[in-house]
Amino acid sequence: MSKVSIDGLADAVAKELANYNQDVADGVKKEVRQVAQEMVQELKQTSPKDSGQYAAGWREKTEFESAEDIRERVYNAKKPQLTHLLEHGHAKQNGGRVNGKPHIGPAEQEAEKKLTNGIKVVVRG
């Protein structure tokens, strides 16, 4: 640590806070990317498999990124129209219902827990 005069104290503190802020932002962005990739892998494993195309269609994509913010999207690229039907069930053509097979909701909740814990580690670190 270098010596700082009283006159330069405010500038030195502001500089250190800016460095800390950027380190936290970079760590959080890295954590968001990692959790999104893990969610994709979990969805590929837990999704219903008939032909296998639906389960193999999970992707993640960076929707927006700035110096301090990032937004990742997890989506099904091959069969997006099936996500709601498979998650919540649907009516059959000749009557009756097909029960849903929850796979997105549990993966989302798990990702939320991982992200929350990961961000706590980054902020403390």
PDB file of all heavy atoms in Angstrom, residues 4-15:
ATOM      1  N   VAL A   4      -0.506   7.997   1.204  1.00  0.00           N
ATOM      2  CA  VAL A   4      -1.421   8.954   0.592  1.00  0.00           C
ATOM      3  C   VAL A   4      -1.483  10.176   1.489  1.00  0.00           C
ATOM      4  O   VAL A   4      -1.625  10.065   2.708  1.00  0.00           O
ATOM      5  CB  VAL A   4      -2.838   8.348   0.445  1.00  0.00           C
ATOM      6  CG1 VAL A   4      -3.802   9.350  -0.126  1.00  0.00           C
ATOM      7  CG2 VAL A   4      -2.791   7.097  -0.399  1.00  0.00           C
ATOM      8  N   SER A   5      -1.405  11.327   0.861  1.00  0.00           N
ATOM      9  CA  SER A   5      -1.516  12.562   1.645  1.00  0.00           C
ATOM     10  C   SER A   5      -2.987  12.801   1.985  1.00  0.00           C
ATOM     11  O   SER A   5      -3.895  12.223   1.385  1.00  0.00           O
ATOM     12  CB  SER A   5      -0.962  13.752   0.852  1.00  0.00           C
ATOM     13  OG  SER A   5      -1.809  14.030  -0.248  1.00  0.00           O
ATOM     14  N   ILE A   6      -3.194  13.652   2.951  1.00  0.00           N
ATOM     15  CA  ILE A   6      -4.568  13.989   3.364  1.00  0.00           C
ATOM     16  C   ILE A   6      -5.329  14.576   2.186  1.00  0.00           C
ATOM     17  O   ILE A   6      -6.516  14.284   2.011  1.00  0.00           O
ATOM     18  CB  ILE A   6      -4.512  14.990   4.551  1.00  0.00           C
ATOM     19  CG1 ILE A   6      -4.226  14.273   5.853  1.00  0.00           C
ATOM     20  CG2 ILE A   6      -5.778  15.797   4.675  1.00  0.00           C
ATOM     21  CD1 ILE A   6      -5.325  13.343   6.295  1.00  0.00           C
ATOM     22  N   ASP A   7      -4.671  15.369   1.365  1.00  0.00           N
ATOM     23  CA  ASP A   7      -5.351  15.997   0.225  1.00  0.00           C
ATOM     24  C   ASP A   7      -5.781  14.961  -0.812  1.00  0.00           C
ATOM     25  O   ASP A   7      -6.785  15.157  -1.488  1.00  0.00           O
ATOM     26  CB  ASP A   7      -4.426  17.036  -0.438  1.00  0.00           C
ATOM     27  CG  ASP A   7      -4.093  18.194   0.496  1.00  0.00           C
ATOM     28  OD1 ASP A   7      -4.921  18.475   1.395  1.00  0.00           O
ATOM     29  OD2 ASP A   7      -3.022  18.800   0.322  1.00  0.00           O
ATOM     30  N   GLY A   8      -5.054  13.876  -0.941  1.00  0.00           N
ATOM     31  CA  GLY A   8      -5.382  12.870  -1.942  1.00  0.00           C
ATOM     32  C   GLY A   8      -6.183  11.695  -1.402  1.00  0.00           C
ATOM     33  O   GLY A   8      -6.438  10.729  -2.126  1.00  0.00           O
ATOM     34  N   LEU A   9      -6.585  11.767  -0.123  1.00  0.00           N
ATOM     35  CA  LEU A   9      -7.291  10.657   0.500  1.00  0.00           C
ATOM     36  C   LEU A   9      -8.620  10.351  -0.192  1.00  0.00           C
ATOM     37  O   LEU A   9      -8.924   9.189  -0.476  1.00  0.00           O
ATOM     38  CB  LEU A   9      -7.525  10.944   1.988  1.00  0.00           C
ATOM     39  CG  LEU A   9      -8.220   9.825   2.773  1.00  0.00           C
ATOM     40  CD1 LEU A   9      -7.368   8.555   2.737  1.00  0.00           C
ATOM     41  CD2 LEU A   9      -8.484  10.266   4.208  1.00  0.00           C
ATOM     42  N   ALA A  10      -9.396  11.365  -0.466  1.00  0.00           N
ATOM     43  CA  ALA A  10     -10.703  11.165  -1.109  1.00  0.00           C
ATOM     44  C   ALA A  10     -10.535  10.509  -2.474  1.00  0.00           C
ATOM     45  O   ALA A  10     -11.283   9.585  -2.830  1.00  0.00           O
ATOM     46  CB  ALA A  10     -11.451  12.484  -1.230  1.00  0.00           C
ATOM     47  N   ASP A  11      -9.549  10.957  -3.240  1.00  0.00           N
ATOM     48  CA  ASP A  11      -9.306  10.373  -4.561  1.00  0.00           C
ATOM     49  C   ASP A  11      -8.847   8.917  -4.441  1.00  0.00           C
ATOM     50  O   ASP A  11      -9.257   8.063  -5.224  1.00  0.00           O
ATOM     51  CB  ASP A  11      -8.268  11.183  -5.330  1.00  0.00           C
ATOM     52  CG  ASP A  11      -8.782  12.555  -5.746  1.00  0.00           C
ATOM     53  OD1 ASP A  11     -10.023  12.705  -5.857  1.00  0.00           O
ATOM     54  OD2 ASP A  11      -7.957  13.460  -5.960  1.00  0.00           O
ATOM     55  N   ALA A  12      -8.002   8.630  -3.458  1.00  0.00           N
ATOM     56  CA  ALA A  12      -7.505   7.263  -3.270  1.00  0.00           C
ATOM     57  C   ALA A  12      -8.636   6.322  -2.861  1.00  0.00           C
ATOM     58  O   ALA A  12      -8.733   5.200  -3.371  1.00  0.00           O
ATOM     59  CB  ALA A  12      -6.395   7.248  -2.215  1.00  0.00           C
ATOM     60  N   VAL A  13      -9.506   6.774  -1.978  1.00  0.00           N
ATOM     61  CA  VAL A  13     -10.644   5.949  -1.550  1.00  0.00           C
ATOM     62  C   VAL A  13     -11.587   5.710  -2.720  1.00  0.00           C
ATOM     63  O   VAL A  13     -12.060   4.592  -2.945  1.00  0.00           O
ATOM     64  CB  VAL A  13     -11.377   6.602  -0.353  1.00  0.00           C
ATOM     65  CG1 VAL A  13     -12.708   5.915  -0.084  1.00  0.00           C
ATOM     66  CG2 VAL A  13     -10.502   6.587   0.887  1.00  0.00           C
ATOM     67  N   ALA A  14     -11.849   6.752  -3.497  1.00  0.00           N
ATOM     68  CA  ALA A  14     -12.740   6.619  -4.658  1.00  0.00           C
ATOM     69  C   ALA A  14     -12.163   5.647  -5.682  1.00  0.00           C
ATOM     70  O   ALA A  14     -12.900   4.835  -6.264  1.00  0.00           O
ATOM     71  CB  ALA A  14     -12.969   7.987  -5.299  1.00  0.00           C
ATOM     72  N   LYS A  15     -10.847   5.706  -5.868  1.00  0.00           N
ATOM     73  CA  LYS A  15     -10.202   4.796  -6.815  1.00  0.00           C
ATOM     74  C   LYS A  15     -10.309   3.344  -6.348  1.00  0.00           C
ATOM     75  O   LYS A  15     -10.623   2.449  -7.139  1.00  0.00           O
ATOM     76  CB  LYS A  15      -8.729   5.184  -6.986  1.00  0.00           C
ATOM     77  CG  LYS A  15      -7.979   4.327  -7.963  1.00  0.00           C
ATOM     78  CD  LYS A  15      -6.535   4.768  -8.085  1.00  0.00           C
ATOM     79  CE  LYS A  15      -5.769   3.836  -8.996  1.00  0.00           C
ATOM     80  NZ  LYS A  15      -4.345   4.175  -9.056  1.00  0.00           N
TER      81      LYS A  15
END
